[in-house]
Amino acid sequence: MNYSGKIFAAVAALVLGCPNLSAQEPNPQDTTAAATTAFPEDAPMLRNDGAPRRYYIRDINIRGVKYLNEEILKSSAGLVAGDSIYLPSNFIGNAISRLWSQRFFSDVKIGAEIDGDSIDLEVFLKERPRVYHWNFEGISKGKKKDLTEKLKLKPNSELSDYVIDKNQKLIKKYWAEKGFRNATVDVRIDNDTLRPAGQAVSVTFLIDRKERVKIGRINFLGNEQFKDKRLRRTFKKTHQKSINFFKSAKFKEEDYGEDKGLLIDFYNSKGYRNATIVRDSIYPINEKRMGIDVEVSEGNKYYIRNVSWVGNSVYPTEQLQELFGVRKGDIYDKKTMHKRLGIGKEENPEDMNQIKSLYQNNGYLMSQIEPAETIIGADSIDVEVKVFEGKQFTINEVGITGNQRVDDEVIRRELYVRPGELYDRSLLMQTIRTLGSMGHFNPEAIMPDIKPVSNELVNVNWPLEEQASDQFNIAGGWGSGTFVGSVGITLNNLSVRNFFKKGAWRPYPMGQNQRLSISAQTNGTYYKALALSFTDPWMGGRKPNSFTISGHISEQNDAYYILQSATRYFRTYGVAAGLGKRLTWPDPYFTFYAEASYERYSLKNWTGFVVENGNSNLLSLKLVLSRNSVDQPIYPRRGSEFTASVQATLPYSLWDGKDYSDDSMSDQERYRWIEFHKWQFKAQWFQALSGNSNLVLMLKAEMGYLGSYNKHKVSPFNRYEVGGDGMSGYNIYGIDIISMRGYEDGALDPSSYYSRGYNKYTAELRYPVILKPSSQIYVLGFLEGGNAFDSWKSFSPFKIKRAAGFGVRLYLPVVGMLGIDWGYGFDPPANSTKKSGSQFHFVMGQQF
């Protein structure tokens, strides 16, 4: 190379003019560092003893790069052809620092060829080895997959001490969260024999979990007002080892941090405003146990001296003070005050008694409430509540996104938030519940996007996540001594008006939220049933008035073989039509439904039942009043639901002139026209018990009674069958099947002619395993009690058969709700002296 008029300067020489360079050198302990790139030993050295001279970058050459984009490297280093630079200066050092900071290289050097006032930069890089395989030893295959996803380990990534150290810490944290706080993680790095030496390696993390470490004890220091036992109860997720196996003694840093906040909340709620945690320590007791010490400073107990309000003009002070409920002389309770004001972590949009809700529900979107506290003396506090009301906001636009299968108009008619109306947070909550109850959208993801567009206008957008709502199921069950199979399909998003629209059948015309259900049951030749129903929730499309029409037909006979002719049978034919209406009073959660129905029972030589031959006709009117404030249909967390219904026929015996006390009257004549009045009441209530609203308590009560107008004409039809899971597949004589876990099907009926009345009480504790649109799974434990009765005289709400057990529910959008329960009946069934004992039950469909 001819060096006349040219200087080739290695980075070692440039250090003299680049004081920042030394700080960016690689760690000498870095095992991935490579040998220094060689430069010509006779190259003249660029000294810093001369005045800086201006040069123009003519060319930039990147050497030694195989995997990275050269143009991106030039840009990230700040090297641009055509730029002017001064040498000596810190320009080259800064470029080297930028390249080192990317952690892609084990060696970085920059040289230069100078020609007059032009300079060619030579960038010599040594890429770190690439990791082609990440492996784990000492753990199961499932945990390997979990760690690979959690650590985001990808093949062909660079290897460095930083990457190794970071992943070792993450692995230790992963196992510490599972209770293995003493886990060790070593690393083995092997060269990949299939690739050139030094270019590729395999990294294996050697994991030894050690013994699981649980909390052995939790001690409190400095507490004089409350005992350790009481303070431990404030910890909701961090518990010491005890005989209560429902409380996990596993330690998690995040949960422990939250529980320390709950400890201070507890002190604040008892008047100790200045309570603090002075220090806390975590220490090993032995290989399997750890201890926690928490030292607190309780401070003085405070009381409310005065409460004043500032800034409120919309609502009078008296009204706000009545809602606030904090008065002179009360113990200072920060949590309760914030809850009643509706601020901070105590804000609850569904609580209409919060003062912030009062403003938010009347258009004051930007309203703020801030309590200011002034300490008076050693034990008194003055509270001044500052209210910033702002202006009332009006809804500007309401948008909908994410819906592909459900028409916009169908969604918009369910919205309680409309353009031009005042902003009202309570209507947002009502809309969330309504959209979730439609069943077409993931209820866990329904949350409005609220964006103010001016000082008085706000846009509300509803981003929706659709989920499959149609259902297809095939089931089987054992009933009346035989196997019964059933098949059904339910289309929950039908659009009748698109039946003849071109291109609408994909796979069926959808979009209008209309429901079509078809089901069939059979066990071969001697039992067959077919049912069909159609519901339009907005008949006519203008008002939320529903229309339902249904029909069914069934037959049971003695033709047990294909070529055999039936000599006796029981046939049922029925049609029904109903109208439903949403009510606005007492609140929007109420609905009213009326249904007229006709059924005909045809019997021929049907021994074993009250009626053996003839036709029995049933013409009735059913009225139903319901209220449903449940937040979502599949896994409710809060709200309630009740239904009160009465079904009645005409009292034919009052005017037909027949003497039904005559024992010689044939059953065919007695029951030619069936008469009864049937009452039923069901109620259930949901309440989340945990902070994340996952642990849910469900309480349910129900009762029913079939009455008569004439004691000599008590209907043998439309009674109740109580006990079991109701999955036998048979539904003859118009009976209602009432499940009762822990007992066999019909085990609580006092006679072979079923029951005229029943009552049932249930308490369930539920916890979810998976809550996703594709599937939802939760487990439950239950206590249940109920009984069946054959007359109103013997009916009693306190005579119950008891059971307890646990189960699991799986909801799949395609097949609906599936489940299995194990129940133990503690009492004897009807007409038995032996307790029911252990029973397994299968569940299909949502039950109420």
Side-chain angles (χ1 to χ4, degrees):
M1 177 179 182
N2 182 7
Y3 292 101
S4 175
K6 300 182 180 180
I7 299 177
F8 185 87
V11 71
L14 292 173
V15 170
L16 298 175
C18 307
N20 294 334
L21 183 58
S22 60
Q24 301 296 329
E25 289 289 353
N27 189 331
Q29 301 301 319
D30 191 344
T31 57
T32 62
T36 303
T37 304
F39 288 88
E41 294 182 1
D42 57 348
M45 308 303 287
L46 180 65
R47 302 297 180 183
N48 68 340
D49 52 0
R53 182 181 173 185
R54 186 176 184 178
Y55 297 94
Y56 293 92
I57 300 177
R58 184 171 59 187
D59 197 9
I60 304 167
N61 297 313
I62 304 292
R63 313 290 187 185
V65 172
K66 180 179 179 182
Y67 301 100
L68 302 173
N69 184 286
E70 294 185 7
E71 296 303 320
I72 294 177
L73 289 176
K74 293 177 185 178
S75 177
S76 62
L79 303 176
V80 180
D83 279 1
S84 61
I85 64 173
Y86 285 89
L87 293 178
S89 70
N90 60 1
F91 176 81
I92 299 297
N94 290 339
I96 292 174
S97 298
R98 295 187 190 103
L99 290 170
W100 274 121
S101 66
Q102 298 181 51
R103 299 195 302 270
F104 293 140
F105 311 108
S106 59
D107 198 8
V108 177
K109 298 181 183 297
I110 298 180
E113 286 190 14
I114 299 176
D115 186 2
D117 62 352
S118 297
I119 185 170
D120 295 337
L121 296 178
E122 303 288 336
V123 182
F124 293 85
L125 303 172
K126 180 69 174 180
E127 289 186 308
R128 295 184 185 275
R130 316 298 288 187
V131 181
Y132 273 83
H133 297 285
W134 298 94
N135 301 314
F136 301 91
E137 288 186 5
I139 58 176
S140 65
K141 185 177 180 181
K143 296 300 182 184
K144 290 179 182 179
K145 182 179 179 181
D146 192 19
L147 273 173
T148 301
E149 295 175 354
K150 192 175 185 67
L151 272 56
K152 297 180 174 58
L153 298 175
K154 297 180 180 180
N156 201 30
S157 56
E158 81 282 353
L159 174 68
S160 69
D161 286 349
Y162 168 80
V163 172
I164 296 298
D165 183 62
K166 181 190 72 172
N167 285 303
Q168 280 183 298
K169 291 178 179 177
L170 289 174
I171 293 172
K172 288 182 179 179
K173 181 180 178 182
Y174 173 84
W175 288 108
E177 290 176 350
K178 297 184 178 299
F180 299 93
R181 295 183 56 82
N182 297 327
T184 60
V185 182
D186 294 323
V187 180
R188 185 178 71 237
I189 302 176
D190 303 312
N191 288 323
D192 194 320
T193 57
L194 300 179
R195 293 172 176 82
Q199 290 189 8
V201 297
S202 294
V203 177
T204 303
F205 293 102
L206 310 174
I207 302 172
D208 185 357
R209 299 183 307 174
K210 306 294 185 183
E211 294 286 343
R212 188 188 296 272
V213 180
K214 294 187 176 182
I215 302 171
R217 59 174 175 259
I218 301 175
N219 300 320
F220 293 91
L221 308 173
N223 53 309
E224 298 178 356
Q225 303 299 325
F226 303 99
K227 296 181 179 180
D228 284 19
K229 183 178 180 180
R230 179 64 187 91
L231 296 183
R232 290 191 195 103
R233 281 163 47 197
T234 67
F235 283 11
K236 300 304 181 184
K237 299 180 181 179
T238 308
H239 309 288
Q240 67 181 23
K241 189 72 175 177
S242 68
I243 59 175
N244 186 352
F245 59 87
F246 288 107
K247 291 185 176 180
S248 171
K250 186 167 59 176
F251 179 82
K252 289 185 178 181
E253 289 280 358
E254 184 178 352
D255 293 342
Y256 176 53
E258 293 177 1
D259 284 341
K260 286 192 291 184
L262 294 177
L263 174 65
I264 299 302
D265 287 346
F266 168 75
Y267 268 106
N268 290 164
S269 69
K270 299 300 180 181
Y272 296 91
R273 177 184 184 275
N274 297 328
T276 58
I277 295 176
V278 178
R279 66 172 184 87
D280 64 300
S281 60
I282 302 171
Y283 55 91
I285 298 176
N286 53 47
E287 292 185 354
K288 295 183 179 181
R289 294 287 181 267
M290 58 177 286
I292 300 175
D293 286 348
V294 181
E295 183 177 348
V296 298
S297 173
E298 296 176 327
N300 295 333
K301 187 173 184 178
Y302 285 87
Y303 297 85
I304 302 297
R305 193 183 74 159
N306 293 312
V307 179
S308 59
W309 294 80
V310 177
N312 57 300
S313 61
V314 178
Y315 298 103
T317 299
E318 293 75 14
Q319 182 180 354
L320 298 180
Q321 180 60 38
E322 185 66 25
L323 277 176
F324 190 35
V326 176
R327 295 175 174 82
K328 183 176 182 178
D330 289 351
I331 295 174
Y332 172 85
D333 185 345
K334 182 178 179 180
K335 182 174 182 179
T336 299
M337 287 195 303
H338 285 196
K339 184 176 182 179
R340 292 174 181 174
L341 293 174
I343 62 175
K345 60 184 179 181
E346 302 301 328
E347 181 178 359
N348 181 6
E350 297 184 2
D351 188 349
M352 297 299 102
N353 292 320
Q354 293 187 338
I355 292 176
K356 188 168 184 178
S357 294
L358 185 67
Y359 279 95
Q360 293 278 315
N361 296 343
N362 195 25
Y364 294 94
L365 172 63
M366 308 304 279
S367 60
Q368 297 293 326
I369 300 173
E370 297 179 4
E373 300 171 0
T374 303
I375 298 178
I376 307 298
D379 62 353
S380 297
I381 292 178
D382 285 349
V383 177
E384 182 182 65
V385 184
K386 299 179 181 179
V387 180
F388 303 91
E389 295 174 333
K391 296 182 179 180
Q392 285 181 302
F393 275 73
T394 301
I395 305 297
N396 181 49
E397 294 180 355
V398 178
I400 303 170
T401 59
N403 57 309
Q404 301 294 326
R405 295 188 292 265
V406 184
D407 294 346
D408 275 11
E409 65 181 64
V410 173
I411 301 173
R412 288 192 179 278
R413 71 192 186 190
E414 300 291 350
L415 302 181
Y416 289 84
V417 180
R418 300 178 179 89
E421 297 182 353
L422 278 179
Y423 173 84
D424 187 336
R425 189 167 66 177
S426 65
L427 296 181
L428 289 176
M429 298 300 105
Q430 174 70 2
T431 301
I432 291 174
R433 191 199 69 82
T434 303
L435 292 177
S437 66
M438 291 177 68
H440 303 303
F441 311 109
N442 177 16
E444 301 293 326
I446 300 176
M447 186 58 59
D449 181 19
I450 303 170
K451 292 182 178 180
V453 294
S454 71
N455 292 333
E456 298 180 358
L457 296 175
V458 60
N459 288 345
V460 178
N461 184 59
W462 294 93
L464 302 174
E465 182 181 333
E466 286 189 327
Q467 63 182 16
S469 58
D470 298 328
Q471 297 176 5
F472 175 78
N473 57 71
I474 299 177
W478 188 265
S480 300
T482 184
F483 181 82
V484 181
S486 65
V487 61
I489 183 170
T490 302
L491 307 179
N492 286 305
N493 190 28
L494 188 68
S495 177
V496 173
R497 73 181 186 185
N498 290 333
F499 260 51
F500 303 103
K501 185 177 180 180
K502 185 178 180 181
W505 288 78
R506 293 181 299 179
Y508 68 88
M510 63 177 65
Q512 289 294 306
N513 196 35
Q514 295 167 336
R515 185 175 185 269
L516 176 66
S517 179
I518 303 174
S519 64
Q521 294 175 308
T522 184
N523 63 3
T525 58
Y526 61 98
Y527 178 75
K528 298 174 284 291
L530 177 67
L532 181 147
S533 69
F534 171 80
T535 299
D536 185 349
W538 281 65
M539 185 177 62
R542 295 185 178 182
K543 293 183 179 181
N545 299 327
S546 65
F547 171 71
T548 300
I549 186 170
S550 62
H552 64 272
I553 182 172
S554 66
E555 177 181 318
Q556 186 176 354
N557 56 47
D558 63 346
Y560 302 109
Y561 306 102
I562 296 177
L563 300 178
Q564 187 178 6
S565 298
T567 60
R568 62 190 188 97
Y569 59 76
F570 178 92
R571 294 173 181 167
T572 303
Y573 313 89
V575 292
L579 294 174
K581 181 178 179 60
R582 296 185 193 176
L583 305 179
T584 58
W585 186 89
D587 60 44
Y589 300 119
F590 278 88
T591 59
F592 180 75
Y593 178 77
E595 180 183 85
S597 63
Y598 171 76
E599 287 187 284
R600 182 179 178 89
Y601 303 109
S602 296
L603 301 95
K604 178 182 179 182
N605 300 326
W606 196 250
T607 58
F609 187 62
V610 175
V611 182
E612 293 188 10
N613 290 282
N615 297 315
S616 295
N617 301 282
L618 171 60
L619 181 64
S620 67
L621 177 66
K622 185 176 183 180
L623 304 177
V624 182
L625 179 66
S626 302
R627 185 183 187 273
N628 185 353
S629 63
V630 175
D631 58 345
Q632 53 178 278
I634 306 303
Y635 191 75
R637 291 180 170 89
R638 56 187 60 86
S640 61
E641 181 178 6
F642 86 83
T643 297
S645 66
V646 57
Q647 182 183 5
T649 67
L650 294 172
Y652 306 105
S653 60
L654 296 182
W655 61 67
D656 61 8
K658 298 179 181 179
D659 182 9
Y660 290 97
S661 63
D662 184 1
D663 293 335
S664 63
M665 178 183 287
S666 67
D667 292 327
Q668 179 180 356
E669 181 66 20
R670 186 183 302 272
Y671 299 111
R672 185 180 304 277
W673 284 96
I674 304 168
E675 63 176 33
F676 60 79
H677 51 91
K678 187 175 185 180
W679 306 81
Q680 198 163 19
F681 177 82
K682 298 181 179 181
Q684 58 184 353
W685 175 76
F686 299 89
Q687 178 60 51
L689 301 180
S690 60
N692 59 5
S693 298
N694 280 342
L695 182 64
V696 176
L697 173 66
M698 187 278 289
L699 300 177
K700 181 168 67 174
E702 57 180 292
M703 62 84 65
Y705 179 71
L706 179 73
S708 62
Y709 302 114
N710 188 317
K711 65 179 182 179
H712 301 293
K713 192 181 180 180
V714 180
S715 173
F717 301 94
N718 291 81
R719 296 191 173 196
Y720 301 102
E721 182 184 62
V722 185
D725 50 31
M727 292 294 294
S728 67
Y730 278 89
N731 188 3
I732 59 176
Y733 313 128
I735 62 172
D736 287 344
I737 300 176
I738 309 300
S739 66
M740 177 69 189
R741 292 169 288 192
Y743 297 87
E744 294 182 350
D745 293 346
L748 302 186
D749 294 329
S751 71
S752 58
Y753 296 120
Y754 305 106
S755 306
R756 292 182 61 191
Y758 79 96
N759 59 358
K760 177 183 169 184
Y761 314 99
T762 304
E764 281 187 2
L765 201 60
R766 302 176 175 180
Y767 193 83
V769 179
I770 296 175
L771 292 178
K772 295 182 178 179
S774 57
S775 62
Q776 300 191 35
I777 303 175
Y778 66 87
V779 294
L780 61 89
F782 68 86
L783 298 173
E784 202 156 74
N787 209 346
F789 309 92
D790 57 4
S791 68
W792 181 253
K793 186 176 181 180
S794 62
F795 183 90
S796 172
F798 306 108
K799 295 179 181 179
I800 61 173
K801 307 291 186 178
R802 301 160 299 166
F806 54 85
V808 62
R809 296 291 183 271
L810 166 64
Y811 177 80
L812 298 173
V814 177
V815 299
M817 184 70 77
L818 305 173
I820 183 172
D821 292 324
W822 174 84
Y824 189 90
F826 296 103
D827 298 298
N831 306 315
S832 175
T833 57
K834 183 180 179 182
K835 64 183 178 181
S836 180
S838 176
Q839 303 284 339
F840 281 95
H841 305 282
F842 295 94
V843 178
M844 178 173 288
Q846 196 83 338
Q847 297 183 345
F848 174 36

